[in-house]
Amino acid sequence: MALRSTGLSHDEIFSALHALKANDVRWREGRAFTLTYSAGPDVLAVAEEAYRTFSTENALNTDAFPSLRTIQADVVTIVTDWLQGGTDAAGFMTTGGTESILLAVKGSRERGRRERGISAPNVVLPTSAHAAFEKACYYFGLESRRIAVNDDWRANPHAMADAVDDNTVLIVGSAPQYPQGVIDPIPVIAAMAAERGINCHVDGCMGGVTLTYLARLGHHIPPWNFTVDGVTSISVDLHKYGYTSKGASVIAYRNKQLRSYQTYLTDNWLGGMYGSSGIMGTKGGGSMAAAWAVMNFLGDEGYMRVTAAARHAAEELVAGITARPTLRLRAEPDSTLVSFGAGEPESLDIFAVADALWKRGWYLDRQGPPPSLHCTVNAVHEGKIPAFLADLDAAIDDVVNASASGVQGAYGTIE
Ligand SMILES: *Cc1c(COP(=O)(O)O)cnc(C)c1O
């Protein structure tokens, strides 16, 4: 559409914007098992008001906005406490998991270059590690060495060790990995990195908040955070299980020395000294303030409650899937991510099931190999699983009856 010559009124604008949402997935009702997270209307209201309060403020230069310096420091401290990072831990807020991972990779490349003169760096990571690592290697000129996972979908540290050489600057593990929701053997991976004096990043984008509180709730969680020797950085997305507005993640480092490799400074232009902590120049204050607000609104007790709700819903979903021979659970989830494919008969087209579910208003991620559906179960799904399972049965019936054929679909899109 071309820009109109005279503007619309405030009311016209908002009725048009709300009309645009007509065909969007109804995430407030728990019908999205991906892309959105909700801890309820009261949390959302706090996030949105905080966002509005800081939508014009700019964290590019916090000399002008000491408010945002404080907000960032508070948020990073809460997250490094969750990660048991101690007093040396340091970090920055970023705009999301991808930016946190880009920075971890860039910092590893920089450390390898400065400390060991590496000019052709590589990263050793399991096939399950998030696509953002691939993007980072591509953007910053590192070789990605993907190593097949074990039968239980966890990283295979022995095979990873074989791929490490003198040019390796980073070894990666996830807690949990996105596709099947299991935690990699972080202590073994981190020890491999420590032995060589190189970085080990733990991708806690999904698990950073949830695993912290699941452990507090008494679940057995294998070691994955800064208590593990050799872990140099961890990413934690607040706009996922922190239940805040989009555009908020933290990249945390074991100490300031490790963090120093991610920042950028230049005076090679006519605008004077320019420094930035991350990828962004101008950095919106809205998502930072929303994160601060939601964390302080929920508090420790609130996170215990929403984590328990999400885990309960995930366990209910797992029980529903394992009770259905037409489906096969990919792995018992270590956190709240649930992935499943076709059981018996294996000819059931699981992507056609996703199509049939979407016709009924449920949106799931499709992934592979192997062809699977993926559910990011969160607090919004509490009480919604029985209705979902009923529609899942109806969707499977539709597919079996019509022998319809679905398409794989994608986690992200380029338009
Ligand atoms: C979501 C996610 C990312 C990427 O984060 P974005 O916020 O989508 O940029 C990275 N790793 C894992 C495990 C994730 O779940």
Side-chain angles (χ1 to χ4, degrees), residues 27 30 34 46 166 185 214 219-220 223 225 295 309 329 340-341 347 374 391 395:
W27 55 268
T34 174
V46 164
D166 289 345
L214 284 178
H219 291 260
H220 171 71
N225 58 21
M295 290 163 112
L329 184 72
F340 60 96
S347 57
H374 184 279
D391 273 350

Side-chain angles (χ1 to χ4, degrees), residues 303-367:
Y303 280 111
M304 293 284 262
R305 177 169 46 78
V306 295
T307 302
R311 177 68 193 189
H312 181 252
E315 286 174 3
E316 225 182 329
L317 178 58
V318 164
I321 290 161
T322 47
R324 285 165 172 74
T326 45
L327 302 173
R328 176 171 299 144
L329 184 72
R330 293 289 174 226
E332 283 294 334
D334 284 332
S335 180
T336 48
L337 308 183
V338 179
S339 164
F340 60 96
E344 297 299 330
E346 277 190 45
S347 57
L348 175 70
D349 183 339
I350 202 72
F351 297 140
V353 173
D355 288 344
L357 279 168
W358 183 217
K359 286 199 186 103
R360 289 176 155 77
W362 300 94
Y363 196 90
L364 279 69
D365 263 348
R366 305 156 189 231
Q367 69 180 27

Side-chain angles (χ1 to χ4, degrees), residues 37 95-99 101 130 132-133 174 176-178 203-206 235 237 239-240 337 411:
Y37 301 75
T95 54
T98 298
E99 188 185 356
I101 287 169
H130 195 273
F133 290 98
S174 306
Q177 43 93 304
Y178 177 87
D203 183 359
C205 283
M206 276 295 184
S235 46
D237 289 353
H239 62 199
K240 290 176 179 164
L337 308 183
Y411 176 126

